């Protein structure tokens, strides 16, 4: 996935002279995960910019650039540090278009590594997608494969919106996938049916997509797997239609359960498909507590076993 | 071994004193009589429009409003120093800058009546009003970066209050400006009060300007009630910024009125404090200067007051005539309208709650 994102950034920097990459260690160092490796060498210090260490100013300055017709692509080093830029994202990036009735807008793509499973330090493993989806105005995207990462990032960087592009660190190098070298887009705001099935719908995204795929395979379940790809705005139609067909909805995400994206999805299923259900909606998510230090993360993040057990349970109704 | 590795100092500038006498050695030569009169008129207009806004709020015709009375010289002096291509980054109190740079007055009232359409401003050289204190300063860095990147030659002037200099975003922004060498002039509009918190308790720093020293940028303090002094200092800073030397200016002024229409300053500051500052009023000292030098008289004053009142009444009438369209809430969030919002919009129309 690292290579796929790097390739997308290369395509964007090449086609749009007003696009810049900025953040801590993104230039000479190529980013702590090496996602921006080689880009500064190719495009120069003026376009792949090492900034001082201050997340709020990185996001805030990006907003200023975007207002002036640039397309900044800031990188925030880890999800936990992004809360320092939270005020800029929700108070300004999310609201600018509304408060100026579209006479001004903030086209920018904020890349941030998210989620756990790589035994990282405290504050390096959060899954904050719901936090940024609640107030409206920010597009929140999370890919689950290298192919999706490239196409979604290219699309994001061509939109005239602030997009939060969440990159699951665990998937950066988890598996290899051949992807086209050329330019292609994947639509934002559309979910992807990864696998067709008739007896159960599993709605998931990000790190949990491969976990769900393995659990379904292990259980040989006739499950339809919906990868949201975009958390906000939610593609409700795709999962509602699927749930109407299968009659069962299992929601799997790594973020903690309470007030998570799963709660929103479950509420929409309750509103629009409750009479089609043969079983209660079930959520598989991390416990409702702060992300632990790495020694405990295997007890915290949902795994194939947990997903498998809930597949059995939902099919038992 | 101990050796001194750094020392710094901050200059204070005043050209027009409290009685309207000017220090000719510092007087900017480019300011002709016509411009000086315009500066005075611009300050007077801002004060009249500001007073009208308070009165409209008291009648329930405006939402909460934060007046700028007392801070006219800081705002108008800096606005006159800007060139047409320069861009300013306001917080929520720079009404005088908006007006001096020609923002349509009815939109100013519309905005404070609580309609986003008042802030719709294509091709006007500013960012939007920013309410969370200090958060506009990093935008200034980015807007300035874009001028450097696109080689427009424009400079950015960003405003922050005395309270705002305690915010992290303020420090981050001036540090970024210095490190990235962007054409940014940061102005601290020090009006002595952050709601109920006096300047003396906001920071142990002797001046707020000296905060720029830590960021490695030039800094200066100016009498913020001296429109000519502010003009001069900001003009020079704009020249420096054109050469990619950002700077920080502290304008020492005074909030003569309330923080906002929800505030009651009698709870925390004595009237005698306000009375002291009334003697330093920016408008009366400029009027004294113009009168002494034969550029202004009572007759001109009377005519100006009448003209201003008419322009303000016309603008208020235009703002009052505005008909809000609730659909605009749904259609201006993203560059597209998502299905979930369409659904919510339809429900709202169907339930008829807009009527």
């Amino acid at each position: 996935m690292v290579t796929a994102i790097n390739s997308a950034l290369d395509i964007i920097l090449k086609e749009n002279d007003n696009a810049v990459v900025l953040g801590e260690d993104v230039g000479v160092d190529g980013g702590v995960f090496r996602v921006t490796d080689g880009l500064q060498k190719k495009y120069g210090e003026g376009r792949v910019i090492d900034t001082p260490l201050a997340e709020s100013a990185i996001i805030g300055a990006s907003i200023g650039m975007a207002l002036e017709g640039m397309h900044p692509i800031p990188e925030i080093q880890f999800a936990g540090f992004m809360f320092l830029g939270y005020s800029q994202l929700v108070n300004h990036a999310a609201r600018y278009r509304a408060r100026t009735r579209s006479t001004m807008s903030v086209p920018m793509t904020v890349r941030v590594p998210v989620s756990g499973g790589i035994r990282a330090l405290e504050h390096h493993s959060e899954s904050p997608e719901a936090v940024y989806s609640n107030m409206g105005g920010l597009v929140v995207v999370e890919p689950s494969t290298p192919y999706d990462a490239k196409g979604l990032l290219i699309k994001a960087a061509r939109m005239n919106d602030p997009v939060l592009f969440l990159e699951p660190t665990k998937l950066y190098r988890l598996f290899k996938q051949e992807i086209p070298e050329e330019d292609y887009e994947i639509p934002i705001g559309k979910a992807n049916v990864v696998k067709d099935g008739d007896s159960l719908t599993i709605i998931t995204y990000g790190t949990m997509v491969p976990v769900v795929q393995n659990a379904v395979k292990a259980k040989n379940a006739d499950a339809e797997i919906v990868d949201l790809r975009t958390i906000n705005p939610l593609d409700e139609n795709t999962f509602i239609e699927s749930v109407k067909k299968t009659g069962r909805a299992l929601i799997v995400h790594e973020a903690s359960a309470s007030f998570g994206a799963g709660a929103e999805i479950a509420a929409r299923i309750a509103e629009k498909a409750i009479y089609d259900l043969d079983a209660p909606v079930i959520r598989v998510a991390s416990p409702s507590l702060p992300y632990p230090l790495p020694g405990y993360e295997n007890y915290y993040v949902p795994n194939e076993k947990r997903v498998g057990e809930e597949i059995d349970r939902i099919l038992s109704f | 071994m101990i050796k001194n590795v750094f020392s710094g100092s901050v200059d204070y500038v005043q050209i027009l004193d409290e009685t309207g006498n000017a220090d000719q050695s510092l007087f900017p030569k480019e300011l002709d009589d016509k411009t000086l009169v315009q500066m005075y008129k611009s300050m007077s207009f801002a004060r009249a429009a500001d007073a009208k806004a308070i009165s409209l709020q008291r009648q329930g015709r405006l939402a909460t409003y934060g007046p700028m009375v007392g801070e006219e010289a800081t705002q108008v002096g800096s606005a006159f120093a800007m060139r047409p291509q320069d861009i300013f980054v306001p917080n929520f109190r720079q009404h005088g800058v908006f007006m001096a740079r020609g923002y349509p007055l009815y939109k100013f009232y519309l905005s404070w009546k609580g309609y986003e359409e008042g802030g719709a401003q294509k091709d006007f050289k500013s960012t939007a009003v920013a309410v969370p204190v200090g958060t506009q300063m990093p935008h200034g860095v980015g807007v300035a970066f874009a001028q450097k990147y696109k080689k427009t030659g424009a400079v950015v002037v960003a405003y922050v209050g005395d309270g705002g200099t305690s915010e992290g975003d303020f420090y981050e922004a001036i540090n970024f400006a210095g490190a990235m060498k962007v054409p940014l002039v940061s102005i601290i509009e020090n009006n002595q009060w952050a709601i109920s918190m006096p300047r003396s308790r906001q920071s142990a720093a002797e001046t707020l300007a000296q905060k720029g020293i830590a960021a490695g940028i030039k800094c200066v303090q100016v009498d913020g009630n001296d429109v000519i002094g502010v003009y001069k200092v900001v003009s020079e800073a704009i020249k420096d910024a054109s050469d990619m030397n950002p700077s920080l200016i502290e304008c020492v002024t005074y909030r003569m009125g309330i923080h906002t229409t929800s505030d009651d300053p009698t709870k925390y500051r004595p009237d005698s404090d306000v009375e002291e500052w009334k003697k330093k009023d920016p408008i009366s000292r400029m009027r004294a200067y113009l009168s002494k030098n034969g550029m202004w008289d009572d007759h001109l004053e009377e005519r100006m007051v009448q003209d201003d009142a008419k322009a303000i009444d016309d603008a208020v009438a235009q703002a009052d005539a505005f008909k809000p369209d609730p659909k605009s809430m749904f259609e201006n969030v993203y560059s597209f309208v998502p299905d979930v919002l369409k659904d919510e919009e339809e429900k709202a129309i169907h339930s008829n709650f807009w009527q």
Side-chain angles (χ1 to χ4, degrees):
Chain A
M1 188 182 280
V2 166
T3 317
I5 297 169
N6 186 282
S7 164
L9 292 171
D10 189 13
I11 287 168
I12 293 302
L13 287 168
K14 189 184 240 171
E15 76 174 10
N16 182 357
D17 288 342
N18 286 321
V20 292
V21 167
L22 70 155
E24 297 154 13
D25 309 300
V26 297
V28 181
D29 195 37
V32 289
F33 287 105
R34 306 286 174 266
V35 174
T36 55
D37 211 19
L39 294 174
Q40 191 183 65
K41 213 167 181 187
K42 192 164 175 186
Y43 295 98
E45 288 175 17
R47 297 193 63 202
V48 180
I49 306 154
D50 283 317
T51 67
L53 203 164
E55 287 75 12
S56 187
I58 291 170
I59 304 289
S62 296
I63 291 169
M65 293 178 194
L67 291 172
E68 287 295 301
M70 296 182 66
H71 196 116
I73 309 175
E75 174 181 302
I76 297 297
Q77 216 153 48
F78 291 98
F81 306 161
M82 196 158 72
F83 293 115
L84 291 158
Y86 182 76
S87 143
Q88 288 293 343
L89 282 167
V90 306
N91 284 333
H92 293 297
R95 304 180 64 94
Y96 234 104
R97 179 184 283 275
R99 76 151 80 113
T100 61
R101 284 297 182 258
S102 295
T103 55
M104 298 167 103
S105 57
V106 179
M108 74 173 178
T109 311
V110 183
R111 294 182 36 251
V112 57
V114 296
S115 300
I118 59 161
R119 305 189 64 76
L121 280 175
E122 193 179 9
H123 304 296
H124 287 56
S125 304
E126 283 67 21
S127 295
E129 64 276 6
V131 173
Y132 293 94
S133 297
N134 176 245
M135 80 297 296
L138 294 174
V139 174
V140 182
V141 175
E142 186 167 343
S144 65
T145 67
Y147 179 83
D148 285 9
K150 179 169 175 177
L152 288 166
L153 183 54
I154 290 174
K155 176 67 186 163
R158 288 174 180 162
M159 286 169 75
N160 192 0
D161 296 278
V163 181
L164 213 49
F165 195 81
L166 309 178
E167 301 171 0
T169 49
K170 181 148 191 177
L171 305 187
Y172 269 154
R173 294 184 170 85
L174 187 70
F175 55 90
K176 275 200 184 319
Q177 182 185 28
E178 283 299 319
I179 57 159
E181 254 182 58
E182 63 269 22
D183 159 1
Y184 62 93
E185 288 185 3
I186 291 178
I188 283 177
K190 270 316 282 174
N192 182 31
V193 179
V194 177
K195 176 187 170 300
D196 289 325
D198 287 317
S199 55
L200 152 76
T201 299
I202 305 181
I203 302 147
T204 186
Y205 54 90
T207 46
M208 288 295 112
V209 174
V211 172
V212 165
Q213 283 171 315
N214 290 340
V216 165
K217 202 179 281 172
K219 292 283 172 189
N220 202 18
D222 184 17
E224 184 146 300
I225 304 174
V226 176
D227 177 356
L228 289 178
R229 282 180 172 163
T230 302
I231 318 302
N232 188 60
L234 205 50
D235 175 12
E236 180 187 82
N237 295 338
T238 299
F239 67 76
I240 294 287
E241 286 315 306
S242 177
V243 170
K244 280 183 176 173
K245 179 179 79 175
T246 65
R248 289 181 173 84
L250 182 69
I251 305 160
V252 183
H253 60 57
E254 185 175 325
S256 55
S258 299
F259 305 96
E264 176 64 29
I265 294 162
R268 288 179 182 273
I269 292 169
E271 280 179 354
K272 304 222 165 151
I274 197 160
Y275 296 115
D276 298 289
L277 291 179
D278 300 320
V281 176
I282 294 178
R283 285 182 288 168
V284 179
S286 295
S288 303
L289 51 91
Y291 200 97
L293 296 189
Y296 282 98
E297 75 180 348
N298 288 345
Y299 304 99
Y300 179 79
V301 176
N303 57 16
E304 278 169 47
K305 186 165 169 283
R306 270 195 67 199
V307 175
E309 282 167 10
E310 297 298 346
I311 290 175
D312 286 344
R313 188 155 79 93
I314 203 165
L315 288 173
S316 73
F317 285 94
Chain B
M1 181 193 73
I2 297 176
K3 62 175 182 178
N4 180 271
V5 290
F6 178 80
S7 62
S9 66
V10 175
D11 286 337
Y12 173 81
V13 177
Q14 184 195 58
I15 297 178
L16 198 62
D17 71 13
E18 285 82 348
T19 58
N21 290 317
D23 181 341
Q24 289 302 331
S25 67
L26 293 174
F27 205 94
K29 300 283 171 283
E30 70 272 23
L31 286 181
D32 55 22
D33 290 2
K34 200 178 145 209
T35 312
L36 290 165
V37 169
Q38 276 173 352
M39 287 168 114
Y40 172 71
K41 283 178 145 181
S42 188
M43 287 196 289
S44 304
F45 186 78
R47 185 171 288 188
D50 190 68
K52 182 72 176 185
I54 299 171
S55 129
L56 291 172
Q57 196 281 337
R58 298 303 186 213
Q59 298 164 40
R61 293 162 68 192
L62 223 66
T64 306
Y65 176 70
M68 54 80 74
V69 57
E71 301 167 42
E72 293 85 356
T74 292
Q75 298 190 5
V76 170
S78 54
F80 270 69
M82 285 178 228
R83 305 158 304 172
Q85 69 269 33
D86 297 334
I87 301 165
F88 74 100
V89 176
N91 59 26
F92 48 85
R93 208 185 290 279
Q94 278 72 42
H95 319 310
V97 185
F98 275 98
M99 290 172 205
R101 299 198 91 208
Y103 196 70
L105 191 62
Y106 83 92
K107 279 186 156 186
F108 160 76
Y109 288 116
L110 191 56
S111 168
W112 292 100
K113 279 168 89 75
Y115 295 111
E116 281 87 343
E117 285 77 1
Q121 45 168 288
K122 225 175 181 127
D123 301 326
F124 185 74
K125 297 279 180 188
S126 88
T127 55
V129 165
V131 172
V133 170
T135 58
Q136 71 282 4
M137 299 307 282
H139 305 169
V141 175
V143 174
F145 182 92
Q147 307 315 309
K148 183 180 179 181
Y149 187 87
K150 294 183 168 186
K151 301 187 172 69
T152 65
V155 160
V156 179
V157 179
Y159 295 82
V160 66
D162 42 312
T165 66
S166 298
E167 290 279 3
D169 270 357
F170 166 77
Y171 289 104
E172 290 188 20
I174 59 171
N175 184 61
F176 259 54
M180 297 174 86
K181 294 197 178 305
V182 294
L184 178 69
V185 177
S186 299
I187 294 182
I188 303 166
E189 188 167 322
N190 171 11
N191 68 13
Q192 312 298 335
W193 291 92
I195 306 188
S196 66
M197 189 71 155
R199 158 64 190 89
S200 58
R201 290 174 60 205
Q202 194 64 242
S203 171
E206 211 164 317
T207 69
L208 297 176
Q210 74 203 55
K211 296 188 177 197
I213 293 174
I217 62 176
K218 274 173 98 169
C219 45
V220 63
Q221 196 184 56
V222 59
D223 180 347
N225 283 4
D226 163 11
V227 70
I228 297 168
V230 171
Y231 168 86
K232 184 186 173 76
V233 164
V234 177
S235 297
E236 284 171 2
I238 286 174
K239 206 175 293 167
D240 284 344
S242 306
D243 298 327
M244 303 304 148
N245 293 313
S247 64
L248 180 65
I249 298 167
E250 178 187 0
C251 297
V252 182
T253 179
Y254 190 77
R255 197 192 79 209
M256 305 262 268
I258 46 188
H259 163 69
T260 69
T261 44
S262 309
D263 175 41
D264 174 14
T266 60
K267 280 188 74 179
Y268 53 80
R269 82 178 176 190
D271 285 345
S272 56
D273 198 47
V274 185
E275 289 308 315
E276 269 314 297
W277 275 88
K278 271 189 184 162
K279 294 175 193 160
K280 304 177 190 174
D281 186 80
I283 295 183
S284 51
R285 83 167 80 166
M286 186 62 169
R287 186 177 175 182
Y289 173 81
L290 295 179
S291 302
K292 270 183 224 178
N293 291 281
M295 288 178 253
W296 199 252
D297 57 31
D298 289 351
H299 174 69
L300 288 169
E301 179 78 17
E302 202 178 302
R303 213 169 70 193
M304 178 188 77
V305 170
Q306 281 171 4
D307 290 350
D308 286 357
K310 184 173 182 327
I312 289 166
D313 287 345
D314 289 351
V316 171
Q318 196 178 351
D320 282 346
F322 173 76
K323 294 268 180 294
D325 175 9
K327 279 187 185 162
S328 67
M329 289 194 296
F330 295 88
E331 288 158 5
N332 293 287
V333 184
Y334 306 96
S335 63
F336 55 100
V337 184
D339 289 343
V340 288
L341 273 188
K342 279 183 201 153
D343 200 27
E344 290 168 8
E345 184 180 356
E346 271 162 33
K347 278 179 193 150
I349 293 170
H350 189 72
S351 69
N352 231 9
F353 87 103
W354 289 342
Q355 259 68 51

